[in-house]
Amino acid sequence: MPEIKAIHGWLHTARFLTTAPQLIHLPELDVPEIAFVGRSNAGKSTCINTLTQQKRLAFASKTPGRTQSINLFAMGKQGTTDAVLADLPGYGYAAVPREAKLRWQRVMGNYLMTRKNLKAVVMLIDPRLGLTELDDILLEVIRPRVEEGLHFLVLLTKSDKLNRTEANKALSIARLQTGGGEARLFSALKKQGLDEVAQLLWQWTHEPAKAQAPVRSEAPTLEDEPPALDE
Ligand code: GDP
């Protein structure tokens, strides 16, 4: 793994790639993608901006009910793209009409279930509020993919607002609720967890490709012979 400075440098290359109001508008990509999800106000934009050391890369619309989109940011040195961050719209605005909420649940659910190049999901949670119903639904949606190897990380944001006891308690609860999944504390203000998260993002997007189907060691048996042509 490169030194932490180089990894932060890599994250700093993040630039806006595209925005997609619906899945069909999302380009198919073959580079690894990491999705950031979380209820609105969880600290998702601040986290992305802190990780990439950019002031306004991600800025959530604070207008309830406004059409939101999936925003993609490309990363990679010298004009190349070796990974993509996907900023999914924050959920949980009380004021959003039911129809719009349901539509977004569907779009997010579909994205998380079907996005081929998705390598990891980072879920941001404000530990003072804990997991909300929608967080739970999303956890259920991705569980089968996590079992198949999708990386998953819960970030407990704004950890500077917790004392040590509260922080440890929040971590244990998050680990329980996510079925023993990875959970870390994160504070944009105090830069807590920054290096660790940066390293995870780099690792997840630079894993060696999965091994090919194992090469057979035994000689083929008769059954493997191509069928004889009778005529
Ligand atoms: P988003 O809706 O999930 O994108 O949330 P934002 O990134 O806009 O953050 C919501 C609020 O939490 C804002 O007022 C931020 O200033 C605040 N916030 C975000 N991260 C931190 C943090 O690490 N520490 C503290 N104390 N406040 C934070």
Side-chain angles (χ1 to χ4, degrees):
M1 190 158 55
E3 284 182 19
I4 188 66
K5 245 178 126 178
I7 294 179
H8 286 307
W10 167 72
L11 279 167
H12 188 55
T13 64
R15 62 262 176 196
F16 177 76
L17 180 64
T18 189
T19 182
Q22 288 175 319
L23 287 191
I24 50 161
H25 299 124
L26 213 56
E28 271 197 29
L29 299 171
D30 53 13
V31 290
E33 189 161 303
I34 297 183
F36 281 70
V37 302
R39 69 172 280 142
S40 53
N41 222 36
K44 182 160 55 68
S45 318
T46 308
C47 177
I48 293 175
N49 291 341
T50 305
L51 280 167
T52 57
Q53 310 134 70
Q54 300 192 27
K55 284 208 175 75
R56 282 179 58 80
L57 189 65
F59 49 96
S61 156
K62 299 293 173 200
T63 318
R66 202 172 131 180
T67 312
Q68 292 189 308
S69 303
I70 295 175
N71 292 308
L72 297 185
F73 307 112
M75 289 181 304
K77 294 237 153 129
Q78 277 130 23
T80 62
T81 297
D82 61 1
V84 166
L85 293 186
D87 181 13
L88 271 64
Y91 42 83
Y93 274 124
V96 173
R98 191 179 142 77
E99 234 344 278
K101 275 188 197 163
L102 290 177
R103 190 183 81 80
W104 260 111
Q105 278 180 44
R106 271 198 303 275
V107 174
M108 275 212 283
N110 283 338
Y111 167 87
L112 292 170
M113 280 189 290
T114 63
R115 186 73 170 156
K116 282 204 194 80
N117 58 327
L118 187 65
K119 272 276 159 57
V121 175
V122 180
M123 182 181 270
L124 293 103
I125 289 173
D126 184 333
R128 294 165 309 158
L129 300 175
L131 256 75
T132 65
E133 195 187 343
L134 253 167
D135 295 321
D136 272 334
I137 293 174
L138 289 187
L139 274 177
E140 282 310 309
V141 165
I142 60 172
R143 195 179 301 273
R145 290 194 74 178
V146 172
E147 280 162 13
E148 283 167 14
L150 179 77
H151 297 288
F152 178 65
L153 172 68
V154 167
L155 280 189
L156 300 173
T157 54
K158 314 180 196 179
S159 62
D160 51 275
K161 297 197 180 197
L162 306 178
N163 65 32
R164 191 184 288 259
T165 313
E166 290 167 333
N168 286 335
K169 193 172 160 194
L171 270 176
S172 320
I173 294 175
R175 286 185 178 130
L176 274 178
Q177 286 178 318
T178 56
E182 273 203 74
R184 302 278 165 92
L185 298 168
F186 187 85
S187 164
L189 202 68
K190 295 271 171 71
K191 309 265 185 274
Q192 184 183 17
L194 192 57
D195 287 353
E196 281 172 291
V197 178
Q199 279 169 334
L200 282 174
L201 298 187
W202 195 90
Q203 272 173 27
W204 290 338
T205 50
H206 293 80
E207 281 172 343
K210 284 249 160 60
Q212 301 290 312
V215 180
R216 300 170 54 137
S217 50
E218 331 98 300
T221 61
L222 268 183
E223 279 159 14
D224 295 319
E225 295 282 343
L229 290 172
D230 288 328
E231 291 162 285

